[in-house]
Amino acid sequence: RLKTGESVVVKVQRPEIEKIIDTDVSLLAFLAGLMERYIPETRVIGPKIIVNEFFRTLSYELDFVVEANNMSKMAENLASFPDVVIPKVYKHLSTSKILTLEKLDGIRVNDLKALDAAGIDRKRIVEIGARAFFKSVMIDGLFHGDLHGGNLFILPGNRLGIIDFGIVGRLSQKSRDQLATMVMA
């Protein structure tokens, strides 16, 4: 709880996690190189490319400033959706290794018994989530890349709370146009 009374969540990066990840990725890169060298069939899928992309994505997840910026941009993009709640970021209390956020009090979206007991309109929640996701993907080109039951909460009033913006996806206008054409076809 802040001195001003707000309930917060403080996300703290584990000490030495960068070294652990570097070691793990180095091992994966070594194995990928061996696969490409000794199992020619794997060259089609490009194990080294996959490992490099994995490491690039993971490095963004290690910087909480990036996550804070993702959250702020997503909150701005979804401001027209009053039923979607993205926690406020307390940037003055956050760093690259500490992220301080507004605490959302709700029911995890995968706790069906609790949702039913609370009288939550599950169809309405799905509609809210689908509309917000498709706006994020098709209009904004910036979307949550790790949506699962642990990152989604149902808040009072049939509102959808979304947390953990360490992984986001980005699509260029060209990619969005191609996706729209594919869907229409």
Side-chain angles (χ1 to χ4, degrees):
R1 187 170 299 277
L2 300 180
K3 289 180 181 180
T4 52
E6 296 94 343
S7 292
V8 294
V9 172
V10 180
K11 184 174 177 180
V12 179
Q13 194 172 102
R14 292 181 185 190
E16 307 295 320
I17 192 67
E18 289 181 41
K19 287 181 186 176
I20 294 167
I21 289 173
D22 284 344
T23 301
D24 290 350
V25 170
S26 294
L27 179 60
L28 288 173
F30 174 73
L31 293 173
L34 288 177
M35 286 178 69
E36 287 188 10
R37 184 172 184 183
Y38 295 109
I39 308 171
E41 297 82 7
T42 64
R43 292 181 197 143
V44 174
I45 59 171
K48 284 195 226 176
I49 293 170
I50 292 170
V51 169
N52 289 337
E53 181 64 21
F54 174 70
F55 179 70
R56 189 179 65 77
T57 302
L58 201 53
S59 63
Y60 288 133
E61 202 172 349
L62 289 175
D63 187 346
F64 290 167
V65 171
V66 172
E67 183 170 351
N69 290 335
N70 289 340
M71 291 180 75
S72 296
K73 185 61 180 170
M74 291 286 294
E76 180 184 318
N77 289 350
L78 294 173
S80 62
F81 286 75
D83 295 326
V84 174
V85 178
I86 295 170
K88 174 184 174 183
V89 177
Y90 294 89
K91 289 189 177 184
H92 66 287
L93 298 173
S94 299
T95 68
S96 63
K97 302 204 181 296
I98 298 171
L99 185 58
T100 306
L101 309 167
E102 167 188 15
K103 183 179 182 195
L104 298 184
D105 287 316
I107 303 167
R108 286 188 185 259
V109 75
N110 55 0
D111 188 347
L112 301 181
K113 287 182 182 178
L115 293 175
D116 290 341
I120 300 298
D121 182 351
R122 288 198 254 160
K123 286 185 180 182
R124 176 77 181 124
I125 295 299
V126 169
E127 181 182 318
I128 291 166
R131 287 179 186 271
F133 181 75
F134 283 113
K135 180 193 183 292
S136 296
V137 172
M138 299 305 294
I139 295 173
D140 304 326
L142 178 71
F143 57 94
H144 195 294
D146 192 23
L147 289 176
H148 58 75
N151 289 339
L152 300 169
F153 293 87
I154 308 308
L155 308 174
N158 285 317
R159 295 176 305 139
L160 178 63
I162 308 172
I163 64 168
D164 192 0
F165 288 78
I167 301 174
V168 297
R170 289 176 171 78
L171 290 176
S172 66
Q173 185 62 55
K174 181 179 178 182
S175 295
R176 286 179 272 157
D177 292 343
Q178 290 173 334
L179 182 57
T181 300
M182 235 177 19
V183 169
M184 294 299 287

